[in-house]
Amino acid sequence: MTIYYHDSQKTFHLQAGDSSYVMQVVNKGFLTHLYWGKKIKEYRFANRLQFTDRAFSGNPHPSENRTFSLDTLPQEFPVYGTTDYRAPIVQVQLENGTTITDFRYDSHRIFKGKSELEGLPSTYIEEEAEAETLEIMLYDELSGLKAVLLYTVYNDRSVITRSIRLVNSGRQSLQLLRALSASVDFRDNDFEFIQLSGAWGKEREIERHSLRQGIQSIESRRGASSHQQNPFLALARKNADEQYGDVYGFSLVYSGNFLAQAEVDQFHTARVSMGINPFDFSWKLEPGDSFQCPEVVMVYSHEGLGGMSRTYHDLYRHRLARGPFRDRERPILINNWEATYFDFNADKIESIAAAGSELGIELFVLDDGWFGHRDDDKTSLGDWFVDERKLPNGLDDLASRVRNMNMEFGLWFEPEMVSVDSDLYRNHPDWCLHVPSANRSESRNQLVLDFSRDDVCIAVTKMVMDILSSAPITYVKWDMNRHMTEIGSARLPADRQRETAHRYMLGLYRVMEKITTSFPHILFESCSGGGGRFDPGMLYYMPQTWTSDNTDAVSRLKVQYGTSLVYPISSMGAHVSDVPNHQVNRLTSLQMRGDVAASGNLGYELDLTKLTDEEKEEVTQQVAQYKKIRSLIQFGDFYRLLSPFAGNETAWMFVNKKKTEAVLCYFRVLDAPNAPFRSVKAHGLDSGKTYRIQETGEIVGGDELMYAGMDVPADVSGDFQSVVWHLKEAE
Ligand code: DGJ
């Protein structure tokens, strides 16, 4: 058993892996939070709630108790208007215009396994015994709204997932103004707030700062999880590093507008809240209707950030990603985007594919520009028909030729978008998100299709599925290249317009569910101008994501390091591209480009026909070496050793589950005169084992590699250097 309920004390004790989470129902039905942290065998109230009369903290039941105030109470489902002034989890407008609610415990049940969330992606189980779920029902008499709080505990992982279903069981029509998924109250604020922020081309940079009184938040209002902020936050104790210290991670399984925040109050407690962004959101709930909030995946680690990341990696790799590719080694690909952009024909494509095949590459991906009359980004999105000027014999013929070269064939789509210059838009000008009589703002010359509408979703699904059925396609890159503006739907009444952005996500999830499950032999990679929608919601449908449009090896150190805080290596597309790099104009060595890209799902994105013989030889070796270590890279445990955010050097390593094999990568960006000697301490090896270093033949103990470290050879000189050591247990 992993969830215990003590009736006499009205406590719930959830044990997940090496963690405990404790709640209690107190004083006429308030659900309070008592503890979250390292596992406790039995909770006996050593940190029981304390009550005292505080100035300006009101009392819901003053005649009974002046010391009881929601303002000072750590809660699981805080609401507004009944003495708590901190951020509420839910806010509802009643027919009389008021927004006060007063939720109290009603009942609960505990069951084996985990339920699915209707219409939304979520983590799952394969066997009932993997997890246990607690459902707590709260009820608000004022509105008739029921809140069903779901807590799932994975037995062998320090993971608790939370979500909420709101059910209108009353007689009046309600307007949800705020419907977050989780709120956790910590007893103190002695934490640092960690977020993954950035921009196009520099996604998921790690930022860390102390908490201060007030609200610190990250959010997206862009209609996508976004390059700018990722739906993740962690609170880390100030001493927590990669190996040691308490860290609490919160990751939202959602791809649209989100809010993640920590509020420090007057008593120096901290409240974390996360869910759909209440900004420009509301949802009408008629009597009998319900609303499902997305899932928050909460991870506790007492082994610092490294421990938290490995817990997320394992969970997201095996119990969020789905389909036959989940556990399969991912193919090495060549993508023609940076090689040709829109300027290609069938011969050019065949020549790149042929060059790739000679180098041992396994998959050719035809990127943007194969449909409509798309010679630039001004046209044709929505017209998913082959451009016969470029591919006169069609996709089937091209794909078959590529397959005859012993490679798989993959194709790019951007199904959620429409160009004004397209037949689709000319025929259906109301199919895009828009507000009547308002201007339609464009971005990359395109508009966003209104996926909140069923008819639009059905039509797009058909177009995509027709193409996928027309040729032997085994990989799809699903792109999305702008954010939403003028968010409104021609199909929704006035009082439901603010539902559009969330309805869009529900429509998108339905479309992706249909397409991905109809073509299980296709590996889907999501993309949004690189990593603009690198989130757990997308990973549920597509097990990998194009990490960033920035393919520069130096920039990629930060992008991939930051991304690894939450997302498994098997989810990160990483390509070797040309120099000077197309995004930052930098000249890096082919070796470093290869070693950085081989730290993810390796691919190439350059005109392979233009490689010199020496370069071809080097790429052949990169490809051959990657095939030897790829299962370790994609499915091993990942350890961050030196941070690119801290300086000129980066190091990380991959260790297989049995600790019999590892790969350690060291990167140095710039050389310096009289640089200090450097040794890198390995993590995650078995201290009792000895390892043979494949490159040198030396045999060294795991203990020595971890405690003394591995010397970076002093003769490594020049800018943009990388060194990789492949370790195998010595016989
Ligand atoms: C943005 C993607 O991130 C690129 O890789 C490429 O597919 C372009 N879109 C094509 O328009």
Side-chain angles (χ1 to χ4, degrees):
M1 251 193 357
T2 45
I3 299 179
Y4 303 88
Y5 175 65
H6 293 282
D7 197 30
S8 57
Q9 306 151 343
K10 304 229 171 323
T11 54
F12 300 97
H13 184 170
L14 284 54
Q15 292 181 329
D18 200 20
S19 65
S20 279
Y21 192 96
V22 186
M23 299 173 274
Q24 186 182 24
V25 180
V26 302
N27 195 0
K28 301 190 176 151
F30 294 105
L31 183 62
T32 63
H33 175 88
L34 293 181
Y35 175 75
W36 182 25
K38 193 153 166 55
K39 186 172 190 166
I40 293 170
K41 274 201 291 301
E42 191 166 348
Y43 181 79
R44 294 202 175 92
F45 291 94
N47 76 334
R48 67 171 53 82
L49 297 171
Q50 303 208 33
F51 298 97
T52 184
D53 183 9
R54 304 253 197 204
F56 287 86
S57 293
N59 320 107
H61 305 296
S63 57
E64 291 167 33
N65 193 346
R66 252 188 74 153
T67 64
F68 184 85
S69 174
L70 300 180
D71 203 23
T72 60
L73 197 69
Q75 293 162 76
E76 287 291 306
F77 193 82
V79 292
Y80 168 72
T82 52
T83 74
D84 190 349
Y85 296 95
R86 295 165 290 175
I89 189 164
V90 155
Q91 197 180 21
V92 189
Q93 187 160 33
L94 282 63
E95 278 178 354
N96 66 9
T98 62
T99 56
I100 303 309
T101 48
D102 188 4
F103 281 86
R104 306 294 175 102
Y105 170 85
D106 178 71
S107 58
H108 76 269
R109 67 183 185 113
I110 296 170
F111 56 91
K112 290 243 164 297
K114 182 176 197 294
S115 35
E116 290 179 4
L117 304 186
E118 205 192 324
L120 286 169
S122 61
T123 56
Y124 60 90
I125 50 167
E126 287 202 327
E127 317 256 320
E128 213 177 64
E130 283 177 28
E132 211 167 9
T133 298
L134 164 66
E135 222 180 57
I136 304 178
M137 264 69 75
L138 305 179
Y139 181 65
D140 171 46
E141 272 185 14
L142 296 168
S143 62
L145 194 59
K146 230 167 51 183
V148 184
L149 278 52
L150 282 169
Y151 297 81
T152 294
V153 171
Y154 279 89
N155 299 341
D156 299 331
R157 309 170 193 267
S158 300
V159 172
I160 298 176
T161 64
R162 281 187 64 174
S163 68
I164 294 169
R165 192 169 69 251
L166 296 162
V167 185
N168 184 352
S169 59
R171 296 217 183 90
Q172 56 175 311
S173 165
L174 301 173
Q175 200 76 32
L176 291 178
L177 304 177
R178 182 179 178 98
L180 300 183
S181 300
S183 172
V184 178
D185 280 344
F186 293 85
R187 298 285 181 94
D188 65 85
N189 68 337
D190 197 18
F191 291 105
E192 287 173 335
F193 184 109
I194 299 179
Q195 65 194 67
L196 296 174
S197 304
W200 173 88
K202 52 194 289 251
E203 297 93 336
R204 292 169 299 285
E205 301 207 331
I206 300 176
E207 294 205 18
R208 184 170 175 158
H209 55 83
S210 295
L211 289 184
R212 54 178 161 68
Q213 190 167 335
I215 290 180
Q216 33 258 277
S217 67
I218 51 167
E219 63 181 322
S220 168
R221 301 174 177 188
R222 294 172 167 269
S225 50
S226 87
H227 308 82
Q228 288 74 9
Q229 301 288 1
N230 196 258
F232 162 80
L233 82 82
L235 291 191
R237 287 295 177 195
K238 290 187 172 148
N239 63 354
D241 59 17
E242 279 297 324
Q243 281 182 285
Y244 306 107
D246 282 350
V247 180
Y248 299 84
F250 299 81
S251 165
L252 183 67
V253 187
Y254 191 60
S255 314
N257 291 339
F258 73 92
L259 172 69
Q261 68 179 39
E263 177 173 11
V264 175
D265 72 356
Q266 55 183 332
F267 309 115
H268 293 212
T269 71
R271 169 173 293 172
V272 170
S273 338
M274 190 176 233
I276 293 176
N277 198 342
F279 178 84
D280 203 29
F281 163 86
S282 76
W283 196 276
K284 192 169 175 187
L285 273 190
E286 298 289 10
D289 284 358
S290 59
F291 182 83
Q292 178 62 59
C293 304
E295 179 169 278
V296 173
V297 178
M298 309 196 315
V299 167
Y300 164 74
S301 161
H302 62 96
E303 291 175 340
L305 291 164
M308 176 198 74
S309 299
R310 285 185 290 282
T311 302
Y312 275 121
H313 291 183
D314 275 339
L315 183 76
Y316 284 180
R317 201 158 33 204
H318 300 299
R319 292 293 179 267
L320 177 67
R322 299 174 302 162
F325 286 93
R326 184 188 78 179
D327 304 325
R328 227 185 262 172
E329 291 184 14
R330 309 296 162 73
I332 304 171
L333 64 82
I334 167 70
N335 175 306
N336 72 304
W337 178 241
E338 287 196 17
T340 64
Y341 295 104
F342 297 102
D343 184 16
F344 61 81
N345 57 30
D347 290 344
K348 181 70 200 168
I349 294 303
E350 269 191 68
S351 67
I352 297 176
S357 163
E358 267 175 43
L359 300 168
I361 294 176
E362 300 156 320
L363 164 70
F364 176 84
V365 179
L366 181 57
D367 211 279
D368 195 353
W370 57 266
F371 53 93
H373 53 102
R374 191 159 162 91
D375 294 330
D376 53 34
D377 65 14
K378 295 194 178 70
T379 167
S380 299
L381 291 172
D383 293 346
W384 298 106
F385 311 106
V386 177
D387 182 352
E388 290 180 355
R389 295 170 313 154
K390 291 183 187 169
L391 308 177
N393 301 319
L395 272 180
D396 187 27
D397 177 73
L398 180 64
S400 305
R401 283 168 194 271
V402 169
R403 286 172 70 90
N404 287 340
M405 296 172 195
N406 216 10
M407 293 174 100
E408 299 289 325
F409 182 78
L411 197 60
W412 179 97
F413 281 96
E414 193 173 358
E416 299 157 68
M417 298 291 152
V418 65
S419 308
V420 172
D421 177 13
S422 68
D423 290 344
L424 186 73
Y425 190 71
R426 281 183 282 273
N427 294 334
H428 301 284
D430 63 331
W431 274 20
C432 63
L433 294 178
H434 67 280
V435 169
S437 66
N439 177 46
R440 298 183 181 189
S441 304
E442 293 183 25
S443 178
R444 208 191 190 210
N445 304 301
Q446 60 199 56
L447 297 167
V448 183
L449 284 172
D450 181 358
F451 269 41
S452 75
R453 293 173 60 149
D454 266 352
D455 53 348
V456 175
C457 291
I458 290 167
V460 172
T461 303
K462 182 175 180 328
M463 280 192 280
V464 173
M465 292 195 14
D466 283 350
I467 290 282
L468 295 182
S469 311
S470 74
I473 295 166
T474 56
Y475 165 102
V476 163
K477 178 175 175 187
W478 182 296
D479 207 347
M480 194 280 272
N481 282 302
R482 66 158 288 182
H483 290 145
M484 295 178 186
T485 53
E486 291 93 20
I487 302 176
S489 172
R491 273 291 167 90
L492 292 172
D495 57 357
R496 288 193 181 271
Q497 284 296 320
R498 284 160 64 120
E499 298 177 10
T500 307
H502 180 57
R503 284 187 182 275
Y504 177 100
M505 294 318 306
L506 297 177
L508 173 64
Y509 289 148
R510 274 197 305 276
V511 169
M512 293 194 300
E513 177 73 17
K514 172 79 185 153
I515 295 177
T516 56
T517 55
S518 301
F519 296 91
H521 65 283
I522 294 184
L523 168 61
F524 286 84
E525 174 158 335
S526 81
C527 171
S528 172
R533 218 165 41 180
F534 204 132
D535 61 60
M538 295 305 289
L539 286 180
Y540 179 76
Y541 301 96
M542 308 192 176
Q544 56 188 63
T545 301
W546 176 224
T547 314
S548 176
D549 269 351
N550 189 341
T551 54
D552 166 54
V554 175
S555 312
R556 273 299 185 121
L557 292 174
K558 284 188 179 165
V559 176
Q560 291 173 208
Y561 188 100
T563 303
S564 79
L565 215 55
V566 186
Y567 304 101
I569 303 302
S570 58
S571 66
M572 290 187 218
H575 299 174
V576 174
S577 62
D578 207 355
V579 285
N581 173 267
H582 292 197
Q583 292 76 39
V584 298
N585 229 6
R586 189 178 279 126
L587 284 153
T588 52
S589 65
L590 181 54
Q591 183 186 338
M592 183 181 183
R593 280 177 277 151
D595 289 339
V596 173
S599 297
N601 295 335
L602 176 64
Y604 289 80
E605 189 163 333
L606 71 172
D607 189 347
L608 295 174
T609 63
K610 297 196 174 134
L611 293 184
T612 63
D613 287 346
E614 294 80 58
E615 286 169 336
K616 277 190 191 151
E617 180 51 36
E618 198 170 338
V619 171
T620 306
Q621 278 175 23
Q622 286 174 352
V623 167
Q625 175 62 12
Y626 188 71
K627 287 178 183 168
K628 285 193 206 142
I629 56 173
R630 118 172 96 185
S631 125
L632 166 60
I633 301 288
Q634 295 175 355
F635 299 103
D637 286 335
F638 185 67
Y639 294 84
R640 291 177 294 266
L641 308 178
L642 294 174
S643 168
F645 298 100
N648 193 32
E649 295 163 300
T650 301
W652 51 51
M653 71 184 288
F654 309 84
V655 184
N656 71 352
K657 294 283 176 195
K658 290 187 185 151
K659 298 188 183 293
T660 54
E661 194 177 352
V663 168
L664 195 163
C665 307
Y666 167 86
F667 306 94
R668 192 182 58 216
V669 177
L670 296 180
D671 201 358
N674 287 317
F677 296 120
R678 165 62 92 180
S679 63
V680 186
K681 288 185 178 144
H683 289 176
L685 297 174
D686 183 337
S687 57
K689 287 190 175 16
T690 49
Y691 297 88
R692 182 184 298 277
I693 303 170
Q694 301 301 297
E695 289 71 17
T696 62
E698 289 164 282
I699 293 182
V700 192
D703 50 0
E704 196 178 332
L705 289 165
M706 291 195 288
Y707 312 147
M710 178 85 121
D711 270 347
V712 175
D715 60 358
V716 169
S717 68
D719 296 342
F720 313 124
Q721 295 295 329
S722 58
V723 186
V724 174
W725 295 277
H726 184 190
L727 315 172
K728 280 189 177 172
E729 185 179 10
E731 262 107 60

